[in-house]
Amino acid sequence: MSETAKNTPEDLQDVNAAEETASEDVAAEATEEVEEVVIEDPVAALEAEVAELKDRLLRQVAEVENTRRRAKKDVEDAGNYAITKFARDLLDVSDNLRRALDAAGDTSAADPAMKTLFEGVEMTEQALLKALEKNGIEKLEPLGEKLDPNKHQAVFEMPNPAYPDGHVAQVMQAGYVLKGRLLRPAMVGVTKNPAGEAPAKEDGPGSNVDTSA
């Protein structure tokens, strides 16, 4: 007789009871897992979604603000520097007026007609400079100042004991700035005194610093 045939009804009942108990345990564990998913995971997912949306919102706000600032600056620059090309063209006129005045020299002993012409050219130059200044264009006259590569263009070096080394001793062509922005650098000659020759002392703070090195 086979082993299956030897099982009694009581044995079969015990097996069925054990299977039912195991099924109930598995179902209970599955129910607990489902309950955990239902209770915990949605909250974490919502929190993550809220954090992501908040981050995206902050980024969008920052981007909009940066765009607004760039647009504002572009508008301001367009208003401030729209006349740059026109201003550069006017600088040639100012240079020519100055050359005419320098060429005329001292007119105190000149005939009345020549003196009147000189005064007229001088008044024209002053009127032009005032018009430029009214529109934010300032003339640079750096004679005696320390060389500044951001504003001055050194053309040559020259000995001049009246100024310390590295200072502007001669202005060949005036420079101009337009509302703080360099329009044209001043063309200058820079002091380079011979070794052993004592340069002039600077006035103001730091005047005791040796600049001859």
Side-chain angles (χ1 to χ4, degrees):
M1 183 179 293
S2 65
E3 293 181 359
T4 303
K6 294 181 180 180
N7 290 336
T8 62
E10 290 80 3
D11 293 336
L12 293 175
Q13 290 178 356
D14 292 340
V15 170
N16 292 334
E19 290 179 351
E20 291 178 358
T21 302
S23 300
E24 291 175 357
D25 292 340
V26 171
E29 291 178 358
T31 301
E32 291 178 359
E33 291 179 358
V34 170
E35 289 178 354
E36 289 179 357
V37 170
V38 172
I39 295 174
E40 297 180 4
D41 286 356
V43 174
L46 288 173
E47 290 178 349
E49 185 176 356
V50 169
E52 182 181 357
L53 291 175
K54 183 178 180 180
D55 182 68
R56 289 172 59 185
L57 178 61
L58 292 176
R59 289 176 183 273
Q60 291 293 331
V61 170
E63 185 175 351
V64 170
E65 181 64 18
N66 290 336
T67 302
R68 186 188 68 80
R69 289 178 180 175
R70 286 195 298 268
K72 182 179 179 181
K73 187 177 185 303
D74 290 342
V75 171
E76 291 177 352
D77 288 347
N80 290 333
Y81 307 115
I83 63 170
T84 297
K85 186 178 183 302
F86 177 68
R88 287 200 178 103
D89 292 338
L90 285 180
L91 298 186
D92 292 335
V93 179
S94 178
D95 292 340
N96 290 332
L97 291 173
R98 175 41 49 185
R99 291 189 188 102
L101 293 172
D102 291 340
D106 185 9
T107 60
S108 58
D111 61 87
M114 181 64 185
K115 190 173 181 180
T116 301
L117 177 61
F118 179 88
E119 291 175 351
V121 173
E122 190 174 34
M123 291 176 62
T124 303
E125 183 195 34
Q126 293 300 320
L128 177 59
L129 292 176
K130 286 183 180 179
L132 293 175
E133 186 176 353
K134 185 178 179 181
N135 288 276
I137 303 170
E138 298 180 7
K139 187 177 182 179
L140 298 177
E141 290 286 3
L143 184 63
E145 296 180 3
K146 188 173 182 180
L147 181 68
D148 184 354
N150 297 317
K151 296 180 179 180
H152 312 147
Q153 181 180 348
V155 180
F156 60 89
E157 293 180 339
M158 58 182 293
N160 191 329
Y163 303 105
D165 285 358
H167 283 60
V168 177
Q170 182 177 344
V171 179
M172 298 180 62
Q173 186 180 70
Y176 291 87
V177 292
L178 172 59
K179 294 186 178 180
R181 178 182 292 182
L182 185 65
L183 193 61
R184 187 183 74 184
M187 297 178 64
V188 300
V190 183
T191 303
K192 182 65 175 179
N193 292 311
E197 186 174 340
K201 293 184 178 180
E202 294 182 78
D203 295 330
S207 60
N208 58 341
V209 178
D210 183 10
T211 59
S212 60

